[in-house]
Amino acid sequence: MVWSVEDVRKDSSRLENFWAPRNQRIQTWWDLEDGRRSNGKLITLQNRDAVQSTEDGIERVYTNDPATLISLCVHLLSANPVRHRVLSGDVHERPKQQAGKTERALVALWRYVDEEAFLGGNDEWLRVLAYDMLTTGWFSIVATVLRDSDGTPQFIADLHNPMEAYQEFGGRGLLTYVHKYETTLADARDKASRFGSTLDMSGNDDTVVNVVDWYKQVGEDALNAVFIMGAGHSSRFIKEPEIVGRYIPVLSAPVAGRPRRRPIHGDDDWKRQIGLSVLALNEDVYVEFNRFLSVLAAVARDAS
């Protein structure tokens, strides 16, 4: 089958719609951490006073426990650098020395990954991974090795925002994977040039467009394509579908939620529960505690 840009767009939209209930659930956890309720009202957790007078004149008090818990857990999970223990299985000195060199090489590679993250304006790789798992209950990593034009290997371990990652699982792993995210038109043009193509979209450099990175397992081959959409233009490839290997080079899965998926043809509740944020179990407790604090604040105000 020859995949057109419209075929790829429809396939990507199918998965985006499929995982909409999961993303809605993740948004409630982000709102809880950031200081917002599901109705969009600010709760002010971090940078403003903890007590606010609302339009109805009632004092509102909100705890910053969710943000504090996330911050502490991220630190505990990412404080120590990644370490690898390579077992040589040999009592002779030379294999032991080679194992030691391999361990030091792996440490250097993780340092390289962090340096690439810093150059892109991102935090340390392990901190981002810990934050993704703690707040969303999911992780998505593109793990592969590419080569520059001169043959120099590039070790890739790109973390994707779980809210922007959409999966279709099969009996032997991922069947389809889509990463859809917003960027500027200037960045999209730069991506196109790196793929050896041009992007003839009009607009300012800071115009927001959507980049869609699409993977598809077709038989024994994994296809990859990248297209741009938005800014009042039709979708267009900046990377035509091509074979990138035998399997989709992505590690993506839920954590901390229900250990088994429900039947796909059932309701959507399993999509909300298969991966859980660390805030999920105490979510109602936080809400009720905020309500209790608000009542105390109102009583204290009336008594003053």
Side-chain angles (χ1 to χ4, degrees):
M1 174 180 178
V2 178
W3 290 84
S4 67
V5 66
E6 185 63 17
D7 293 331
V8 175
R9 187 196 65 79
K10 289 180 179 179
D11 196 42
S12 302
S13 298
R14 172 180 64 87
L15 289 185
E16 185 177 2
N17 294 332
F18 180 82
W19 286 110
R22 176 200 64 181
N23 281 12
Q24 292 169 2
R25 186 72 170 120
I26 291 175
Q27 187 62 57
T28 63
W29 297 324
W30 278 1
D31 289 347
L32 191 61
E33 183 214 1
D34 290 343
R36 290 175 293 177
R37 296 185 90 103
S38 58
N39 60 9
K41 292 184 179 179
L42 286 176
I43 294 183
T44 17
L45 290 180
Q46 298 172 346
N47 299 323
R48 303 179 186 178
D49 295 336
V51 179
Q52 278 191 320
S53 293
T54 62
E55 294 179 358
D56 55 11
I58 300 175
E59 299 290 348
R60 304 291 188 189
V61 183
Y62 302 96
T63 176
N64 67 343
D65 285 353
T68 302
L69 176 63
I70 292 293
S71 180
L72 175 61
C73 291
V74 168
H75 173 73
L76 292 176
L77 290 175
S78 62
N80 296 321
V82 178
R83 297 293 182 186
H84 296 274
R85 178 67 173 170
V86 179
L87 301 178
S88 64
D90 201 315
V91 297
H92 297 90
E93 189 63 27
R94 182 173 177 78
K96 291 182 180 179
Q97 292 177 353
Q98 292 174 335
K101 289 182 179 179
T102 303
E103 291 175 1
R104 291 191 294 274
L106 290 170
V107 171
L109 288 176
W110 279 115
R111 191 179 300 118
Y112 166 81
V113 169
D114 279 340
E115 289 174 355
E116 290 294 303
F118 291 149
L119 291 175
N122 298 310
D123 206 334
E124 293 178 354
W125 190 91
L126 195 57
R127 277 181 53 82
V128 178
L129 176 63
Y131 181 82
D132 285 348
M133 292 192 298
L134 288 166
T135 57
T136 71
W138 282 79
F139 68 88
S140 291
I141 308 168
V142 175
T144 187
V145 179
L146 303 177
R147 291 189 180 273
D148 291 336
S149 57
D150 60 357
T152 303
Q154 280 192 340
F155 297 89
I156 307 299
D158 288 343
L159 287 165
H160 291 167
N161 183 342
M163 281 274 280
E164 301 169 342
Y166 309 100
Q167 308 83 359
E168 181 179 25
F169 296 102
R172 56 175 179 167
L174 280 173
L175 294 179
T176 312
Y177 177 80
V178 174
H179 178 217
K180 178 182 178 181
Y181 60 99
E182 290 184 341
T183 190
T184 62
L185 186 55
D187 182 47
R189 287 169 177 156
D190 179 64
K191 291 181 186 299
S193 67
R194 282 185 279 141
F195 290 131
S197 62
T198 58
L199 183 60
D200 57 346
M201 278 186 172
S202 60
N204 299 325
D205 285 348
D206 58 354
T207 300
V208 177
V209 295
N210 287 304
V211 179
V212 182
D213 197 0
W214 172 85
Y215 290 89
K216 189 77 170 180
Q217 189 73 40
V218 180
E220 298 301 319
D221 297 320
L223 302 180
N224 174 231
V226 182
F227 70 92
I228 307 294
M229 58 188 297
H233 297 276
S234 59
S235 303
R236 59 200 65 193
F237 283 128
I238 60 174
K239 180 184 179 183
E240 297 278 348
E242 64 178 35
I243 298 174
V244 292
R246 293 191 61 188
Y247 302 102
I248 297 174
V250 176
L251 303 173
S252 185
V255 294
R258 288 178 175 171
R260 183 176 292 277
R261 283 180 287 173
R262 300 291 179 87
I264 295 177
H265 64 270
D267 60 37
D268 291 331
D269 186 59
W270 69 269
K271 301 175 188 177
R272 303 182 182 95
Q273 303 293 333
I274 187 174
L276 289 180
S277 166
V278 71
L279 303 177
L281 295 181
N282 288 330
E283 183 177 355
D284 292 338
V285 175
Y286 294 135
V287 173
E288 291 303 319
F289 187 57
N290 290 340
R291 186 174 301 160
F292 173 72
L293 292 178
S294 299
V295 171
L296 289 183
V299 172
R301 182 197 61 183
D302 296 339
S304 63

